[in-house]
Amino acid sequence: MLIDYLGVREINGSLIVLDDVEGASFEEVVDIRLEDGTLRQGRVVQMEGSRVVIQVFEGTRGISLDNTRTRLKGHPMELALSPELLGRVFDGAGRPIDGLGDIYPVARANINGTPINPVSRVYPKNYINTGISTIDTLMTLIRGQKLPIFSGSGMKHNELAVQIARQARISDEGEEKFCIVFAAMGAKNDVAEYFRRSFDESGVLQKVVMFLNLSNDPIIERILTPRCALTAAEYLAFEQGMHVLVIMTDMTSYAEALREFSSSKGEIPGRKGFPGYLYSDLASLYERAGMVRGKSGSVTQIPILTMPNDDVTHPVPDLTGYITEGQIVLDRTLDNSGTYPPVSILPSLSRLMKDGIGEGYTRADHSALSNQLFASYAKVMDARSLASVIGEEELSPTDKKYIEFGKLFEQHFVSQGANENRSIGESLDLGWQLLSTLPREELDRVDDKLLDQYYHPEQKEA
């Protein structure tokens, strides 16, 4: 039986409070009919006995204390699902905004998802090729992994996100089995238009599902956006058998919306004003990545977040690092020098790459090459630190070799064009070519058999 509750007890920001409500459920969707007949949606966000707090998606402007009618729908917020999702653009709450009409749903699913039974999880293996040398070679993205990008305000993370979405592919199955779910939270109008135009012009829009939440949209919609995106990804992966790469930007905007929402409910704040449950809330999103036994698809996540003041100890990157399996860190010094993508090599890692690279996946020499590049670049940073104290002229011949290697490495390996799509073989060959500028005795992470095959000291230029 449907019951309309007439009037509201109080209005506080985007929240309305009702008394004497029976049978309500947490996260339940409600319809709110205003005095002029306008219909708005909300959801139950807090319950204290028969008193419920409802967050209104479109805001509370124009809501009357006396003549507003509220109806509980009896179910949580659901997303309409269909194979027609591919190629479509939605707002943050899952409503189509591309002018192509509504989705004809084959199914509907709760946007909060259902936890994956740990016993049924399959260990992530096999890689996703992004066409970007630093990522593919040194911090390889594995199917079913969650690998965040830590960036800073004003850096080129949006361009990197678009390049990954445009170039990413899987190696062992047809392209029809691979797709992208792209979620933008708190994006400015020009950034949202850049995302949409970039996908359209590059011809990949037909394999992309876009969810765009703009900076002037309600904060409640920003909280819904990643949940809608992941629900679509789970449907495509586990019902349609596709390998789905979910790119979510910017998770800091999401966390700040969560902080504002928490404050409006009067909850006790934690670090920097964020709610104490920020960790578990982020985990409820990130842990929706993975593969399930008996299902052929996979959900892989690349959440992108901007670190306020480039502070990696800020609550959002700090907690994200605890939940995810590695990180890709962007460096402001490289960005200011014009290097793109400005990936900082040493603090970046992928904890699952060891099981998804090598013979049968990428190439037999991949692991050894990756270890040697990390070790050599670490010595580059040591040599640069020493040069800043005693001057480059006073360095030993070996340290000077490392200084030269560092310049070549950043110019030719780290830096690549925004439209340059390198295969894994090209990236690995380029790494060996750069290592060949160093003395053979310095390559102590590689066995002699590989050195005999790939070390060519006559190649002094990359």
Side-chain angles (χ1 to χ4, degrees), residues 46-58:
Q46 196 171 349
M47 295 186 297
E48 298 173 0
S50 62
R51 180 185 177 94
V52 301
V53 179
I54 297 169
Q55 179 135 32
V56 186
F57 294 172
E58 298 88 352

Side-chain angles (χ1 to χ4, degrees), residues 150 251-252 255-256 271 274 278 282 286 305-306 308 312-321:
F150 291 179
M251 293 304 295
T252 302
E256 288 171 348
R271 291 168 56 195
F274 289 98
L278 179 62
L282 290 174
Y286 297 147
L305 54 95
T306 52
V312 76
T313 65
H314 184 274
V316 181
D318 186 31
L319 296 177
T320 294

Side-chain angles (χ1 to χ4, degrees), residues 251-267:
M251 293 304 295
T252 302
S253 292
Y254 167 83
E256 288 171 348
L258 195 69
R259 176 172 61 184
E260 186 177 340
F261 176 40
S262 171
S263 176
S264 67
K265 289 196 292 181
E267 294 173 340

Side-chain angles (χ1 to χ4, degrees), residues 106-156:
V106 173
R108 292 182 179 274
N110 180 356
I111 65 167
N112 298 297
T114 54
I116 300 176
N117 187 336
V119 177
S120 68
R121 282 186 180 271
V122 177
Y123 191 84
K125 284 191 175 181
N126 219 324
Y127 77 109
I128 294 177
N129 190 63
T130 65
I132 298 169
S133 291
T134 46
I135 297 176
D136 291 343
T137 307
L138 301 174
M139 52 218 72
T140 312
L141 178 63
I142 306 299
R143 286 184 218 166
Q145 185 180 14
K146 37 197 181 289
L147 185 65
I149 295 176
F150 291 179
S151 182
S153 179
M155 295 173 68
K156 292 183 172 61

Side-chain angles (χ1 to χ4, degrees), residues 16 70 99 158 213 254 320 323 356 412 461:
I16 61 174
T70 306
N158 289 331
N213 167 259
Y254 167 83
T320 294
I323 304 165
H412 299 286
E461 292 295 331

Side-chain angles (χ1 to χ4, degrees), residues 193-443:
E193 182 57 31
Y194 165 71
F195 288 143
R196 195 191 308 214
R197 187 181 67 252
S198 297
F199 294 147
D200 192 23
E201 290 176 352
S202 60
V204 299
L205 187 59
Q206 293 309 307
K207 69 169 187 176
V208 177
V209 186
M210 292 187 70
F211 292 85
L212 297 178
N213 167 259
L214 303 179
S215 55
N216 58 348
D217 287 336
I219 64 158
I220 182 62
E221 189 177 296
R222 200 161 305 155
I223 295 171
L224 300 176
T225 304
R227 291 174 167 81
C228 290
L230 288 165
T231 302
E234 288 168 344
Y235 170 76
L236 293 170
F238 303 136
E239 300 300 326
Q240 300 297 315
M242 303 188 76
H243 296 286
V244 186
L245 175 60
V246 184
I247 301 174
M248 300 185 291
T249 180
D250 170 0
M251 293 304 295
T252 302
S253 292
Y254 167 83
E256 288 171 348
L258 195 69
R259 176 172 61 184
E260 186 177 340
F261 176 40
S262 171
S263 176
S264 67
K265 289 196 292 181
E267 294 173 340
I268 298 173
R271 291 168 56 195
K272 294 189 182 294
F274 289 98
Y277 52 81
L278 179 62
Y279 177 89
S280 57
D281 190 279
L282 290 174
S284 72
L285 299 176
Y286 297 147
E287 292 298 342
R288 292 173 74 172
M291 295 187 292
V292 178
R293 185 172 287 107
K295 304 287 186 180
S296 58
S298 63
V299 176
T300 309
Q301 286 186 26
I302 299 183
I304 299 173
L305 54 95
T306 52
M307 302 178 290
N309 300 318
D310 295 351
D311 180 14
V312 76
T313 65
H314 184 274
V316 181
D318 186 31
L319 296 177
T320 294
Y322 282 115
I323 304 165
T324 53
E325 294 123 1
Q327 68 274 335
I328 299 169
V329 182
L330 303 189
D331 181 76
R332 191 169 294 278
T333 303
L334 286 174
D335 187 60
N336 291 339
S337 70
T339 300
Y340 172 86
V343 177
S344 184
I345 302 301
L346 298 183
S348 301
L349 80 157
S350 169
R351 295 190 181 97
L352 299 184
M353 70 177 282
K354 64 184 185 299
D355 297 308
I357 63 172
E359 194 167 1
Y361 297 112
T362 54
R363 212 167 71 183
D365 59 308
H366 188 162
S367 181
L369 172 66
S370 173
N371 291 338
Q372 186 61 64
L373 286 173
F374 267 114
S376 298
Y377 194 65
K379 291 182 180 178
V380 169
M381 305 310 285
D382 291 341
R384 286 175 177 174
S385 297
L386 184 61
S388 67
V389 177
I390 65 174
E392 193 168 332
E393 296 78 10
E394 301 299 322
L395 293 176
S396 68
T398 300
D399 283 339
K400 288 179 180 179
K401 288 276 189 183
Y402 275 112
I403 293 287
E404 182 62 26
F405 167 78
K407 292 176 184 176
L408 291 173
F409 183 76
E410 290 171 357
Q411 289 172 4
H412 299 286
F413 192 88
V414 178
S415 181
Q416 69 181 83
N419 295 307
E420 187 178 356
N421 187 358
R422 295 176 184 167
S423 69
I424 187 68
E426 290 172 339
S427 295
L428 294 174
D429 289 342
L430 181 56
W432 282 114
Q433 194 173 341
L434 290 164
L435 286 177
S436 295
T437 64
L438 292 171
R440 178 167 176 146
E441 59 271 15
E442 291 296 319
L443 306 183

